[in-house]
Amino acid sequence: MGTLTLTELQDELRSNLGERTDVSTARLTRFLNQAQTKIARRSNWRELRKIERQTLTYSGTALTDRFYAFSNLDNSNPRLTHSIVVRDSTQSWKLYPLPQRGADINLPVRDLYPTNKPRWYIQWGDQYEWTPVPDKAYSMEFRLTVWPAALTGSNTSDLDEKDDLILLDASRRAFRSLGFHDSALAMAKDYEIEMTDAIVDDATKPDIFATVGNSSSFSDATSAYWADPFIRRVP
């Protein structure tokens, strides 16, 4: 989360503009929210990566069950979908993304085929499309990158420790709108320097390596070794 509230960000932005009174508070808010959106586009920020679990609504009508709208998600406007895993009692499996052109060639009208466990998904517009069409109400786990929520009231930004970036880009937008292009350019240069540092810091992955298949590392994890996916041979 950010540190400064919307009111504090507005105060800092107005201070950057030399305490001008001819720029409304509503415009300052728009500049700040536009800055948030621009920052979110630049990287897959850690704090905007979410996991959520949803249970599909099953109607028994294939044409209806074939689609799942983003509005059903808690984060109803996802920026990126990284993976979808189906959870069915004691089983789970990953759904694989399917290019819509290939799907339309090989399975042109998917709701006419028998329902079954979904294995693939197509992301089109603001909805997912399952293939095969689900035969019941499955639970699914989504890994998503979401957009930051708009700054309103006394809330802080969803972007973690990026108030400086928000203020720099919002100041650039404000100066440009007022015709102070040299000041806008100076803010843009500072913004790019700070953005580079933020991306490098966010991209650090100290736990990037995982060993799978080394049975000696996991042999004590469970006595039912045949049910453990990390054990690839009999101990």
Side-chain angles (χ1 to χ4, degrees):
M1 300 291 289
T3 302
L4 302 178
T5 65
L6 173 58
T7 301
E8 290 169 333
L9 288 169
Q10 291 167 342
D11 290 343
E12 292 296 323
L13 179 53
R14 197 178 293 281
S15 177
N16 287 352
L17 299 177
E19 300 295 343
R20 296 179 67 106
T21 58
D22 57 343
V23 182
S24 69
T25 300
R27 288 194 73 198
L28 296 181
T29 301
R30 286 194 290 271
F31 291 142
L32 291 165
N33 279 318
Q34 289 166 354
Q36 276 202 130
T37 300
K38 180 178 179 179
I39 294 167
R41 291 192 191 114
R42 284 290 295 268
S43 185
N44 178 27
W45 301 108
R46 170 191 53 77
E47 62 270 25
L48 299 181
R49 303 171 200 164
K50 305 295 181 183
I51 296 177
E52 69 170 86
R53 297 178 179 90
Q54 295 289 342
T55 299
L56 302 184
T57 300
Y58 180 69
S59 69
T61 302
L63 185 58
T64 300
D65 298 332
R66 170 181 166 184
F67 301 102
Y68 191 75
F70 289 173
S71 58
N72 293 307
L73 298 170
D74 295 335
N75 299 283
S76 59
N77 185 26
R79 176 172 169 257
L80 297 170
T81 301
H82 299 281
S83 71
I84 303 175
V85 171
V86 181
R87 301 161 61 93
D88 182 23
S89 184
T90 60
Q91 293 183 319
S92 64
W93 62 92
K94 183 187 184 309
L95 296 186
Y96 292 94
L98 194 62
Q100 55 86 18
R101 290 184 184 276
D104 288 346
I105 291 172
N106 295 294
L107 299 167
V109 186
R110 285 167 281 287
D111 51 89
L112 297 181
Y113 290 82
T115 59
N116 206 329
K117 294 180 178 180
R119 297 292 181 180
W120 301 276
Y121 73 94
I122 301 165
Q123 186 172 330
W124 188 256
D126 58 354
Q127 63 186 2
Y128 299 109
E129 183 178 353
W130 314 123
T131 301
V133 175
D135 57 354
K136 66 177 184 178
Y138 289 95
S139 174
M140 292 193 179
E141 183 174 279
F142 299 81
R143 289 185 185 269
L144 308 167
T145 294
V146 303
W147 293 102
L151 288 162
T152 58
S154 61
N155 69 332
T156 57
S157 174
D158 289 340
L159 294 163
D160 192 18
E161 303 296 338
K162 295 180 178 64
D163 290 344
D164 56 339
L165 289 171
I166 294 172
L167 285 168
L168 283 170
D169 190 66
S171 299
R172 176 191 66 83
R173 292 172 185 274
F175 278 127
R176 187 180 62 183
S177 75
L178 294 168
F180 295 101
H181 298 291
D182 288 344
S183 296
L185 181 61
M187 289 291 177
K189 289 181 179 178
D190 287 345
Y191 172 85
E192 288 301 325
I193 293 171
E194 298 294 337
M195 174 61 75
T196 299
D197 289 344
I199 290 174
V200 170
D201 179 69
D202 191 70
T204 302
K205 301 179 178 64
D207 200 19
I208 192 171
F209 296 107
T211 301
V212 177
N214 182 355
S215 62
S216 61
S217 299
F218 297 95
S219 58
D220 294 330
T222 176
S223 58
Y225 60 85
W226 56 88
D228 191 328
F230 291 101
I231 298 178
R232 297 300 180 89
R233 61 182 176 84
V234 176

